[in-house]
Amino acid sequence: MVSTSMRLVTFDRYGPPDVLSVSTGPVPRPGPGEVLVRVRAVSVNGGEPALRAGRLRPFSGNRFPKRVGIDLVGEVVTATGRFAEGDLVWGLLGRRMGSAAEYVAVPAGRLDHVPAGLDAVRAAALPVGTTAITALRDLAALAPGERLLVRGATGGVGYVAVQLGKAMGAHVTGLVSSSNVDLVKELGADEAADYRAPGELGRFDVVLDTVGTGLPAFRRLLTRDGRMVAIAFDLDHPVRSLGYIAANAVRRRRWVRFFSGNPTTPLLAELGRWVESGAIRPLVDRVFPLGQVAEAHRALERGGVRGKIVVEFP
């Protein structure tokens, strides 16, 4: 029997990780086309600390309390459509937050079954990998034999992009901290470089940027028909950063495009097929219990993350 109340992560003011708290609220009632999911694990994504700290205030406003969490892995509470009670599913809320809760009502079109053999914690390291699929396949149209540079190659999206790029037949270079050079090679990168002192990197057909700063320098590394896809922008200079992307998005050659992931079931299903084939494997950096969600945010903010930081629900 489902309780009428649940625990969820909220914050009532902008600030450091300590503003996060585990509070209590009502269990949501699923609306038409929604599935009630008992959440087992979520990951911490780069935009969440920025939101919590108030760095996205122009977009997020000053209404509180606010919630965190965009992805989830959990069990279906009540059978509906193609989902049976107890099915382990994964999904994303799209362009809103709130998955860091014991129960979440999710549109069925944003869920899919977790590939066999994955537990909830390892599965939670993967849903935002749909961003890598969209970036490399749909936007950049990465082709076999092309040269791909991934900035932040051991981060939450980057580590999936390295594996996916190799599976798509590209020559992959990962730009990481010096401590993660060996790891990115283990993930399949042909080359790896320390982002602080990268040396001569050469030219690339595709650059996937997960960092958001210094985009002009990396655009100069593109070949004549090169493409750059950015999934982050410079939070310290948002107008300048987004203006630069917009100005270069209309170019026919050496263009730069920005996008924010908004995956649906078909994209999650494709991610599942890559996982089932062995081309993409999950990478979990650390696991925190729900009561230590502030520590999970601190760990992400310290940097040097190897894959995903996961928050597990009991």
Side-chain angles (χ1 to χ4, degrees):
M1 182 175 177
V2 178
S3 171
T4 57
S5 66
M6 66 174 185
R7 292 173 297 165
L8 67 160
V9 180
T10 62
F11 60 99
D12 59 10
R13 67 190 186 281
Y14 292 122
D18 291 336
V19 302
L20 295 172
S21 65
V22 179
S23 56
T24 302
V27 172
R29 292 179 177 272
E34 291 186 329
V35 179
L36 185 63
V37 177
R38 169 71 164 92
V39 177
R40 293 301 182 187
V42 300
S43 76
V44 183
N45 295 280
E48 295 175 64
L51 171 71
R52 186 215 69 231
R55 302 183 75 189
L56 298 175
R57 192 188 305 256
F59 309 103
S60 57
N62 291 307
R63 295 183 63 182
F64 295 96
K66 296 187 184 299
R67 298 176 60 177
V68 297
I70 63 171
D71 56 34
L72 64 110
V73 175
E75 297 155 356
V76 172
V77 174
T78 305
T80 178
R82 61 194 185 89
F83 298 111
E85 181 179 347
D87 281 357
L88 190 64
V89 295
W90 62 7
L92 296 100
L93 298 185
R95 292 174 182 148
R96 66 182 177 94
M97 297 209 182
S99 66
E102 286 187 291
Y103 293 91
V104 180
V106 187
R110 295 190 182 280
L111 290 172
D112 198 30
H113 294 92
V114 169
L118 282 184
D119 59 26
V121 167
R122 291 190 301 146
L126 286 166
V128 294
T130 53
T131 299
I133 296 174
T134 300
L136 298 184
R137 183 199 63 189
D138 299 337
L139 295 180
L142 181 68
E146 289 194 314
R147 285 175 51 82
L148 166 67
L149 175 66
V150 180
R151 291 187 73 196
T154 54
V157 174
Y159 92 88
V160 175
V162 168
Q163 297 178 83
L164 180 63
K166 282 303 298 178
M168 295 174 70
H171 180 283
V172 180
T173 299
L175 205 56
V176 292
S177 62
S178 58
S179 61
N180 285 342
V181 165
D182 290 340
L183 173 60
V184 79
K185 289 182 177 178
E186 291 173 14
L187 291 170
D190 300 282
E191 299 178 57
D194 182 349
Y195 74 90
R196 296 182 184 88
E200 180 58 45
L201 293 171
R203 299 284 179 175
F204 296 92
D205 302 289
V206 175
V207 173
L208 174 59
D209 182 85
T210 71
V211 180
T213 59
L215 296 185
F218 288 92
R219 181 177 175 271
R220 287 193 288 271
L221 298 181
L222 292 174
T223 60
R224 184 172 180 267
D225 292 313
R227 297 87 72 196
M228 178 189 289
V229 180
I231 65 168
F233 59 89
D234 187 345
L235 291 172
D236 293 325
H237 306 95
V239 175
R240 182 196 310 169
S241 178
L242 291 172
Y244 175 83
I245 293 170
N248 285 281
V250 296
R251 293 178 180 270
R252 297 185 63 184
R253 299 185 185 278
R254 302 177 72 194
W255 51 253
V256 182
R257 303 266 169 84
F258 173 82
F259 87 103
S260 175
N262 194 24
T264 55
T265 297
L267 197 54
L268 288 161
E270 181 170 352
L271 175 65
R273 290 191 290 272
W274 285 111
V275 173
E276 289 168 345
S277 74
I280 294 175
R281 60 183 175 88
L283 181 62
V284 177
D285 182 297
R286 295 176 66 184
V287 182
F288 292 86
L290 176 61
Q292 295 180 20
V293 65
E295 288 300 318
H297 273 234
R298 285 193 188 92
L300 183 61
E301 289 179 323
R302 281 194 290 268
V305 175
R306 299 159 67 90
K308 294 293 289 184
I309 291 174
V310 175
V311 175
E312 185 176 21
F313 288 65

